[in-house]
Amino acid sequence: MEELEEGLLTQPWAWLQLAENSLLAKAYITRQGYALLVSDLQQVWHEQADACVVSQRAKELNKRLTAPPAALLCHLDELLCPLLKDTACPGKVSFVCDRVGEALILRVRSELSGLPFYWNFHCIPANPSLVSQHLIRPLMGMSLTLQCQVRELATMLRMKDLEIQDYQESGAVLSRDRLKTEPFEENSFLEQFMVEKLPEACSVGDGRRFVMNLQSLYTAVTRQEIQVRQKHPGSGDPQPSSSTSPQETENQLLNEPEEPVSSAPSLPVPEKEPTGPSGPVQRPQLSKVKRKKLRGLFS
């Protein structure tokens, strides 16, 4: 299934209007299965199915139709591709989106080999890791890329101003006054942009502008993410310490050697020997550990 996961990641988002539902969707289909991701900008749903699941569901929904899984997946690809690319679907095809509890079901009705063909994509809420992989990390990467582009453009504008200044000092004169510009001031430009352009620029709406204007950058960023992951397989894994349970943390604290709490400096506890040779020294220390009841801190 790794091929499906990586294939889905590099797919651009598409904007869908199904009745009153405005959705963002992406899909990746092979002869071994498919992966589908759908969002209404409030929630994200996902389904990944292999050839066995496709064959079983096709039998349940289409009693009269018999076809190998590869043919079914090929037909699903032919149905979804025009929808995601906003082109005309071949033949008679209809898509209906329903909410059933927390799930989202995309119902498809078409024809295959002259017989009615029905299919339901059963999408369940996506886990946080998947949302991060397909939305949070790519959007952060896109933001950093666009910020880098702004800095490069600002540098180019300053170089152009120096070039114009050199021309003027050499006696060059503009032939048309309307072409005259003021020297570029980055801070003033950013302040003016925040006041005049930001409200319109950051209007997300139903996501259609994001799909129309930024998908080439999105796919470039996700491909770069996959290349980095292939070069450094463990770079995205969480640190082992972050998965320590409260019980494990409690056990670690209880097993750590305690500093003496007695005010008498003449009874130090040896640090390298958990059981000292002198009984009278160890017993007071053990009794104090019991009275502290560290487990109560985690109850």
Side-chain angles (χ1 to χ4, degrees):
M1 287 296 182
E2 185 176 351
E3 179 186 1
L4 287 176
E5 295 172 0
E6 292 189 357
L8 181 64
L9 181 59
T10 57
Q11 295 303 305
W13 288 94
W15 183 82
L16 309 179
Q17 185 67 49
L18 302 178
E20 70 280 2
N21 298 298
S22 296
L23 302 171
L24 297 182
K26 56 177 356 191
Y28 187 72
I29 302 177
T30 68
R31 297 175 65 89
Q32 287 74 40
Y34 68 79
L36 176 66
L37 201 63
V38 183
S39 175
D40 63 354
L41 301 186
Q42 300 294 328
Q43 301 180 62
V44 181
W45 296 270
H46 172 253
E47 184 188 27
Q48 186 166 308
D50 58 18
C52 295
V53 174
V54 170
S55 180
Q56 180 63 31
R57 190 178 302 172
K59 292 178 182 178
E60 296 173 356
L61 298 174
N62 306 273
K63 303 296 184 182
R64 301 169 53 194
L65 184 64
T66 302
L72 297 172
L73 288 164
C74 181
H75 184 61
L76 291 175
D77 189 33
E78 293 173 352
L79 297 176
L80 276 183
C81 278
L83 178 69
L84 298 178
K85 294 181 180 179
D86 196 19
T87 58
C89 296
K92 298 179 179 180
V93 184
S94 65
F95 294 88
V96 179
C97 179
D98 293 328
R99 304 279 183 88
V100 180
E102 295 184 350
L104 181 140
I105 299 180
L106 182 61
R107 306 182 191 276
V108 185
R109 181 175 181 177
S110 67
E111 291 184 356
L112 179 60
S113 301
L115 295 174
F117 177 76
Y118 303 93
W119 185 260
N120 296 338
F121 291 96
H122 293 275
C123 300
I124 62 174
N127 59 56
S129 175
L130 199 65
V131 175
S132 174
Q133 187 179 23
H134 287 267
L135 284 171
I136 298 177
R137 292 183 64 87
L139 290 176
M140 291 179 67
M142 293 168 66
S143 299
L144 293 172
T145 301
L146 292 173
Q147 184 185 34
C148 183
Q149 289 181 357
V150 169
R151 289 177 177 174
E152 291 291 334
L153 290 172
T155 301
M156 291 179 62
L157 285 173
R158 286 192 290 268
M159 296 299 295
K160 290 292 184 182
D161 285 341
L162 292 175
E163 183 179 357
I164 293 173
Q165 182 181 353
D166 183 69
Y167 289 149
Q168 292 174 342
E169 293 174 353
S170 300
V173 179
L174 279 174
S175 60
R176 288 170 287 184
D177 290 340
R178 64 182 178 84
L179 298 179
K180 185 177 180 179
T181 59
E182 297 296 328
F184 177 71
E185 294 289 342
E186 183 176 359
N187 292 334
S188 300
F189 168 78
L190 291 177
E191 291 176 0
Q192 184 178 4
F193 180 87
M194 291 296 183
V195 174
E196 298 179 0
K197 303 293 184 180
L198 183 64
E200 179 183 357
C202 69
S203 177
V204 176
D206 56 10
R208 191 171 188 176
R209 291 177 59 194
F210 167 71
V211 169
M212 293 177 62
N213 301 327
L214 292 171
Q215 288 313 289
S216 59
L217 179 59
Y218 176 88
T219 54
V221 169
T222 52
R223 288 193 179 100
Q224 177 65 22
E225 183 85 6
I226 290 178
Q227 292 178 5
V228 172
R229 189 189 307 169
Q230 291 173 346
K231 292 180 180 179
H232 309 283
S235 60
D237 295 335
Q239 296 297 325
S241 59
S242 64
S243 61
T244 304
S245 65
Q247 183 63 36
E248 292 172 342
T249 305
E250 178 183 352
N251 293 336
Q252 291 174 2
L253 290 175
L254 290 175
N255 291 332
E256 288 180 355
E258 296 239 356
E259 295 183 358
V261 296
S262 173
S263 59
S266 60
L267 296 176
V269 179
E271 295 180 356
K272 296 184 180 181
E273 297 181 4
T275 56
S278 177
V281 174
Q282 289 295 326
R283 286 171 186 166
Q285 183 64 21
L286 289 175
S287 64
K288 285 176 176 138
V289 171
K290 291 181 181 179
R291 285 200 300 269
K292 285 176 69 67
K293 296 184 179 178
L294 291 180
R295 293 188 60 182
L297 296 174
F298 301 90
S299 60

